Amino acid sequence: MPRASSGMDMNGLIAALLRDFAAIQKSKQRMWGYKRAASAILTLEEPIESLLQPDGTLRRIPNIGPSSTRIILEVLQTGTSPTVEKAIAESGETAEVERRRDLRAHFLSRAQVLAALRNKKLTGPRLEDYHGDLQMHSTYSDGSQSLEDIIEAGIARGYSFSAVTDHSYGLKIAGGVSMAELAEQHQEIDRLNRKHRGRFRLIKGIEANIRADGSVDMEPDELARLEIVVAAPHSALRVAGDQTARMVNAVKARGVHILGHPRGRKMGSRPGVTADWHKVFKAAVRSGVAIEIDGDPSRQDLDYDLARGAVEAGCLFALDSDAHSTGELRYAETAIAHARLAGVPVERIINCWPLERLLEWARDRRT
Ligand SMILES: [Zn+2]
C-alpha cells in the first residue's frame, strides 16, 4: 500500500491513488472525473501541502471535484486514502492495481520537476545551460506545430536551435513522413534558416523506428539526408523477454545519433523494453550514440534512476521534449530535472553544446 513518507512526492502519491480509483470505477463518467483530477494534481506547479488552508480545507484546484478533494485530504492527514484502499480491496482488481503501481516508478510530478530545477544542491544541467531541443514533431507527422511555430517558440524559450524529428515512413500509425514529404520539409527548413540566420537554426531530423531485430526502418542513403537521427522503439513494448540484443544493435546502427525514449515505457500502462541496460549503455559509449531522456510526462524515459547508470557507463545524453505542440516544449524541463537528479555532467549533454560543436559531432557520426 502506498503511504507517504517525509520528503516524498505527495502530488505523485495522490495522483497515483486517484488513477487507481479511476481504474476501478464502473461508471465511465466517474472514471474520467478521477483521471482528470489525477492529471490536475500531476501538473500542479506547487506541492499540494501548500494548498492546505489553516481551517483544514483545500484551496480550490481546477478539475478537482468534492470527492477527489475528500481523497486528497485523507492522504494529507493520514498518508494514504482508506476510501481508495477499501474500494480496491472490494473491487477484486487488487492484482491489476498493483501491476499498474509498479509501472509508476521514478516518475516526477510537475511540482517535483520545478523543485529539481530550483534545487541548487544538484550538480546537473541548469535551464540556462540548455540551448535547444532535439526531439519534436511537426504538422508533417502527428504534431500540431508548424516549423515556424517551432522557431518562434524556441526563440521565446531562449534556444538557439531545435531539431524537427517527425516520425519515419515506417511508423504509419503516427503519420510517418514519406521521403517526398521530407524533401519538402527540408526545403522549408532551408528557407526558414535563411530567414532566421544568426538567431535560430532548425536542424533536419527524423525519429526513425527500431525494428524487432534492432535495425532502423530507413535506408542508409535516406538517413544520410538528415542532420540528426533519433532511433526509438515503438513495438514489442509490453513483452517480458530480454531485448538487449535489439537495443545494442540499435545503438550500433549506422547513422543513428540518439537512442530515443530507450524503454518506450508509459506511466501506469506499459513497462517498455526489458534489457541489460548496462550493456546497452556500454555499446552506446563505444559507438558514440547519445542516450535520450525523453521529457514527455507520461514517458520520462530514461528516468533519473536508470540515467545514473548511463552516467557511470560514460554515455552522452540528449534531453528532449518529444513535443507534439508548442505548449509541450516545456517537457524539456522534465528531462532536465531528471538529468539534474542523476547528476549528468553538462559537458556530456549534446543539447548544451554550442550549435557548431553539435553540428560537427552530428556530421562526423554520419560519415
Ligand atoms: Zn517515439
Side-chain angles (χ1 to χ4, degrees), residues 5 25 34 39 42 71-72 105-106 141 149 155 210 227 231-232 238 251-252 258 262 291 304 325 348-350:
S5 58
Q25 296 302 314
Y34 291 118
S39 305
L42 277 184
I71 290 167
I72 294 168
H106 310 303
S141 67
D149 293 339
I155 291 172
I210 299 172
E227 295 179 296
R238 292 174 192 275
V251 296
K252 279 163 54 181
I258 297 170
I291 300 291
Y304 62 90
S325 65
R348 279 210 244 148
I349 301 168
I350 63 174

Side-chain angles (χ1 to χ4, degrees), residues 135 137 142 165 167 171 174 207-209 230-234 260-261 264 270 292 294 299 322 324:
Q135 197 208 150
H137 303 268
D142 59 349
T165 57
H167 293 284
L171 205 64
E207 183 185 2
N209 188 34
V230 179
H234 297 96
H261 53 71
R270 68 177 188 225
E292 186 182 67
D294 184 311
R299 293 189 179 274
D322 199 352
H324 288 67

